[in-house]
Amino acid sequence: MIKFTLNGRTVETDAPATARLLDLLRDEFDLIGTKEGCGEGECGACSVFVNNLLQNSCLIPIGSIAGADIHTIEGITETEQFKILDESYSIAGGVQCGYCIPGMIMASAALLSKNPHPSEAEIREGISGNLCRCTGYNMIVEGINLAAKKGDGLW
Ligand code: FES
Ligand code: FES
């Protein structure tokens, strides 16, 4: 039995220690905002926060998260920061098919919480672990830049 905190709630699972956190989130806890893209740590679609650090859940065996504090995209949707990111991405046209967006939002939130006034180069670096097949990135970068300005003082 492995116990950890998930979106602010203490949970436990009997899944094997070698199972992937990504599968546990989606299959056992129905947190399907966390997506599988590559399954190899290359695309960022499966991004979550583990003890406040951005991580690829496809690379995390459940055995390593005992006692950890995990947040998924579903766990941050009520925050002001999420609302600003959501609105800013939308204004900038940064959402097309949407598949990469939960991971992009997690990476954006991680970036802005560390660096509330990033340069364009820093934004591009901040989302460099996240792939998007649709937008060409420019509109996502613009969305993050807008979120930094709209949320000034909040990050
Ligand atoms: S599915 Fe985890 S990084 Fe691509
Ligand atoms: S919006 Fe389609 S993959 Fe990014």
Side-chain angles (χ1 to χ4, degrees):
M1 172 85 64
I2 294 163
K3 199 185 267 195
F4 59 100
T5 304
L6 180 56
N7 294 335
R9 200 161 61 88
T10 301
V11 296
E12 51 192 34
T13 179
D14 287 322
T18 53
R20 303 185 307 172
L21 177 59
L22 170 62
D23 298 324
L24 184 77
L25 294 172
R26 293 181 56 86
D27 300 340
E28 193 168 321
F29 294 101
D30 292 325
L31 295 170
I32 57 172
T34 305
K35 307 293 187 197
E36 174 155 22
C38 64
E40 298 177 345
E42 299 292 336
C43 76
C46 65
S47 298
V48 297
F49 293 134
V50 179
N51 297 330
N52 284 326
L53 289 176
L54 189 69
Q55 302 277 341
N56 292 323
S57 61
C58 69
L59 296 182
I60 300 178
I62 294 166
S64 71
I65 55 145
D69 183 25
I70 313 279
H71 279 87
T72 67
I73 186 75
E74 290 86 351
I76 68 165
T77 52
E78 295 306 315
T79 64
E80 280 307 306
Q81 288 91 337
F82 173 85
K83 287 173 190 161
I84 286 169
L85 279 165
D86 187 33
E87 190 183 318
S88 300
Y89 266 61
S90 182
I91 291 169
V95 180
Q96 290 188 20
C97 82
Y99 198 83
C100 71
I101 296 301
M104 283 287 184
I105 294 280
M106 298 301 269
S108 305
L111 167 68
L112 292 174
S113 68
K114 275 188 294 197
N115 180 0
H117 304 289
S119 64
E120 181 181 332
E122 288 167 337
I123 292 174
R124 289 185 185 276
E125 170 65 24
I127 57 166
S128 60
N130 295 70
L131 301 183
C132 174
R133 289 187 181 276
C134 304
T135 65
Y137 301 99
N138 289 343
M139 291 175 280
I140 288 177
V141 171
E142 198 181 317
I144 297 171
N145 191 31
L146 189 59
K149 294 195 171 90
K150 285 167 84 76
D152 195 20
L154 195 64
W155 304 108

